[in-house]
Amino acid sequence: MVFNFLTIVGVITGLTISDAFMIWETVGRPVAYFFGGLLGGSFVLYLLTALIGRR
């Protein structure tokens, strides 16, 4: 009886973890790319303004 309960809990936990990773795969990557693009773009703009400001 306890073994069955542990098995069910283990399966549910495994499915939840895999679902969370699937959500991260579908949602996390675009968000990471978006924030990476924001950081990279602001850094490039900062470099450009610094170079132009030196002239």
Side-chain angles (χ1 to χ4, degrees), residues 2-42:
V2 175
F3 181 71
N4 287 342
F5 177 71
L6 285 177
T7 306
I8 291 169
V9 168
V11 167
I12 290 173
T13 311
L15 284 175
T16 307
I17 290 171
S18 65
D19 276 350
F21 274 112
M22 285 295 297
I23 289 169
W24 168 250
E25 283 290 317
T26 53
V27 176
R29 276 186 182 170
V31 168
Y33 283 138
F34 177 70
F35 278 111
L38 274 181
L39 282 172
S42 56

